[in-house]
Amino acid sequence: MRHLPIIVAATATATAFVPAAATAQDTPTTPAGKEALTLLTKGIAFQTVAGRGQVPAYSAYLKQQLVAAGFAEADVTFVPIGETGYLTARYPGRDRKAKPTVVLAHMDVVEADPKDWTRDPFTPVVENGYVYGRGSLDNKAGLSLAVATLMKLKRERWVPQRDLVLVLTGDEETSMKTTQAAAEAFKGAGLVLNADAGGGALGDDGKPIAYGLQAAEKVYGDWHLTITDPGGHSSRPGPTNAIVSLAAAVGRIAAYRFPPQQNEITRASLAGTAAGTPGPLGAAMKAFAANPRDQAAADTISADPRYIGQVRTTCVTTMFNGGHAPNALPQRAMANVNCRIFPGTPRAEIEKKLTALVADPKIKVSFADNGTIEAGASPLDPKVLAAVKAAAAKRSPGLQVLPQQEAGATDSMHFRAHGIPSFGVGPVFMKPGEIFAHGLNERVPVATIDPGVVWWEDLLRSLG
Ligand SMILES: [Zn+2]
């Protein structure tokens, strides 16, 4: 979904796109890095946008690569679901009875309109030290690095302690039906390592400044607010007006602030970010991390849209429409209220609060189900934290690892809902200002590929 920690993003400034010198490195140096680059460029050419039916072909290509590297044909399975599906590859470990570790990534990508792009989004281009194309970052870089690492380990005949299962989903960006099915199929897993979240941030000088380990996500929820009215001729307005009533209700929601909350993940990330954040904002982060009852500190943090999601549930009106003619009283008005709920707070509680804020029996408040589910935070597993810290230290001695609670949702949600600890441990390091995931001219630095293989290898060797 998103790849660099929001907390860390504040410490590096956004940079405009300036092509690097022609001498920039466009090729990884290690065999596994070269293989990862091939997997990535070939992967971009599969237009795995929802509705185009390209996920099975991409899966077939990946299966062929995995089998060629030594995976048993029977251990690599594609499960079709509608026009998409999910691919799994089992890497047998020494203890076949131990709970397997899932390595998770997604094959689908967000739509891209070639008209808007400088280069064709589905023609991979390696230039000036970057790989360009839709999915180059989200999530085909993380996917290709994981696959290349597993292939390398398989060829070296390394055997993990427990089974590793590579799970590649096919509709993370849309309905997550494949994720739901895969999570159900592997609900006995002991751990999920997700390539689609977490990541390292580089400073303006290109040196790593921190790594974000994703351990929680806000819970997504939309509510529809609807009101109907008999309407009538606009020359004869009466006491009721659907638009005016609904506007007043969304105004009350906008004026409300959900109470501040924290968990061990946000506490750690705020405390860790405070040190590098100057002024009242940094002081507020430090104060709130130390005292969850510090309302004033929570309000200071909430004033910054980058951080409000870290300290409370947010609900905001995102759509509003009503009326049917310029000269008629409205018969109907509707609004969509989008909430990002602090993990652990039931959606029912949020609905109760919204209904109370609406405070108008004529307005119907209904939950708009889009398939997202409620999932709590993953408790910070010391083994995972130690493994990520060791990998980060190898990448750059003393590199800070910050636990992250992400505002968006990833495949991890469906695994967390089964109670499986899930961590975003993406291998990509880049400058926050260069992240165009979901946007135009998406790209990933070639320089992150070789260390990305080392990253996965370190994690799999210590957690596999
Ligand atoms: Zn993604």
Side-chain angles (χ1 to χ4, degrees):
M1 197 101 193
R2 189 185 54 81
H3 293 260
L4 282 197
I6 197 168
I7 296 279
V8 170
T11 58
T13 52
T15 45
F17 173 57
V18 181
T23 51
Q25 192 204 28
D26 286 339
T27 351
T29 53
T30 64
K34 288 189 171 111
E35 188 149 56
L37 178 61
T38 304
L39 288 166
L40 175 56
T41 51
K42 290 213 188 286
I44 290 167
F46 289 97
Q47 302 194 12
T48 50
V49 175
R52 278 182 217 169
Q54 285 285 294
V55 168
Y58 183 31
S59 292
Y61 163 71
L62 291 169
K63 175 169 181 169
Q64 192 187 43
Q65 301 303 307
L66 288 160
V67 171
F71 278 76
E73 173 103 35
D75 283 343
V76 189
T77 312
F78 179 68
V79 179
I81 294 177
E83 54 99 24
T84 180
Y86 68 92
L87 182 74
T88 66
R90 190 173 279 268
Y91 192 138
R94 260 187 284 279
D95 181 357
R96 301 301 311 271
K97 292 208 181 76
K99 290 180 169 186
T101 293
V102 167
V103 176
L104 183 64
H106 66 86
M107 296 182 281
D108 60 308
V109 295
V110 172
E111 180 62 285
D113 189 344
K115 281 203 307 291
D116 302 333
W117 282 52
T118 312
R119 302 163 179 79
D120 179 67
F122 299 105
T123 303
V125 174
V126 186
E127 197 175 85
N128 303 319
Y130 290 91
V131 183
Y132 292 86
R134 171 55 90 224
S136 56
L137 173 61
D138 186 9
N139 176 224
K140 287 172 175 169
L143 181 155
S144 303
L145 285 163
V147 171
T149 308
L150 289 166
M151 286 165 64
K152 171 182 188 283
L153 293 169
K154 196 75 180 174
R155 283 200 199 95
E156 292 171 356
R157 300 183 183 280
W158 174 70
V159 180
Q161 194 51 43
R162 53 188 60 238
D163 282 13
L164 293 174
V165 185
L166 175 70
V167 174
L168 305 179
T169 61
D171 59 350
E172 191 271 349
E173 301 288 7
T174 50
S175 65
M176 293 198 196
K177 293 260 187 294
T178 64
T179 319
Q180 207 181 333
E184 182 64 36
F186 293 100
K187 62 184 175 195
L191 174 67
V192 170
L193 300 175
N194 190 350
D196 188 36
L202 303 178
D204 290 335
D205 59 359
K207 294 210 176 76
I209 47 176
Y211 184 82
L213 165 67
Q214 197 251 47
E217 293 166 10
K218 291 296 248 337
V219 175
Y220 186 103
D222 283 318
W223 275 269
H224 288 170
L225 273 46
T226 321
I227 178 169
T228 54
D229 189 82
H233 200 286
S234 61
S235 64
R236 296 189 294 274
T240 63
N241 182 305
I243 291 174
V244 172
S245 298
L246 191 59
V250 298
R252 287 189 286 276
I253 292 170
Y256 178 72
R257 256 204 180 156
F258 284 86
Q261 283 177 278
Q262 58 176 237
N263 56 31
E264 60 166 343
I265 295 144
T266 59
R267 205 152 44 236
S269 62
L270 287 169
T273 309
T277 307
L281 181 60
M285 286 173 174
K286 193 174 166 201
F288 182 64
N291 175 15
R293 286 171 209 282
D294 193 333
Q295 288 274 353
D299 288 344
T300 301
I301 301 167
S302 299
D304 189 320
R306 290 173 303 177
Y307 299 110
I308 183 168
Q310 296 291 311
V311 297
R312 55 181 94 234
T313 292
T314 59
C315 288
V316 63
T317 303
T318 51
M319 291 166 77
F320 193 103
N321 65 58
H324 57 282
N327 56 357
L329 296 171
Q331 291 169 356
R332 194 171 184 278
M334 181 272 193
N336 186 83
V337 175
N338 178 244
C339 299
R340 306 301 174 114
I341 304 160
F342 209 87
T345 305
R347 275 203 291 229
E349 203 173 289
I350 302 300
E351 182 165 313
K352 213 170 128 196
K353 186 74 215 176
L354 289 176
T355 308
L357 290 167
V358 163
D360 185 339
K362 291 202 297 297
I363 299 174
K364 204 173 122 223
V365 178
S366 55
F367 178 63
D369 192 359
N370 66 353
T372 57
I373 52 169
E374 297 179 73
S378 294
L380 282 176
D381 181 337
K383 271 211 317 285
V384 174
L385 194 56
V388 171
K389 279 186 173 166
K394 192 190 260 186
R395 185 75 163 79
S396 176
L399 187 64
Q400 192 184 22
V401 173
L402 291 171
Q404 299 286 317
Q405 174 170 289
E406 189 163 330
T410 71
D411 282 334
S412 290
M413 153 177 100
H414 285 279
F415 289 87
R416 287 196 183 110
H418 282 294
I420 307 167
S422 305
F423 298 96
V425 294
V428 173
F429 279 70
M430 62 192 293
K431 295 176 187 171
E434 293 183 337
I435 294 179
F436 306 130
H438 293 205
L440 286 178
N441 307 321
E442 183 178 349
R443 61 184 166 148
V444 73
V446 174
T448 204
I449 293 177
D450 278 325
V453 173
V454 177
W455 177 266
W456 268 126
E457 185 169 346
D458 284 348
L459 290 187
L460 295 178
R461 281 186 187 276
S462 48
L463 298 170

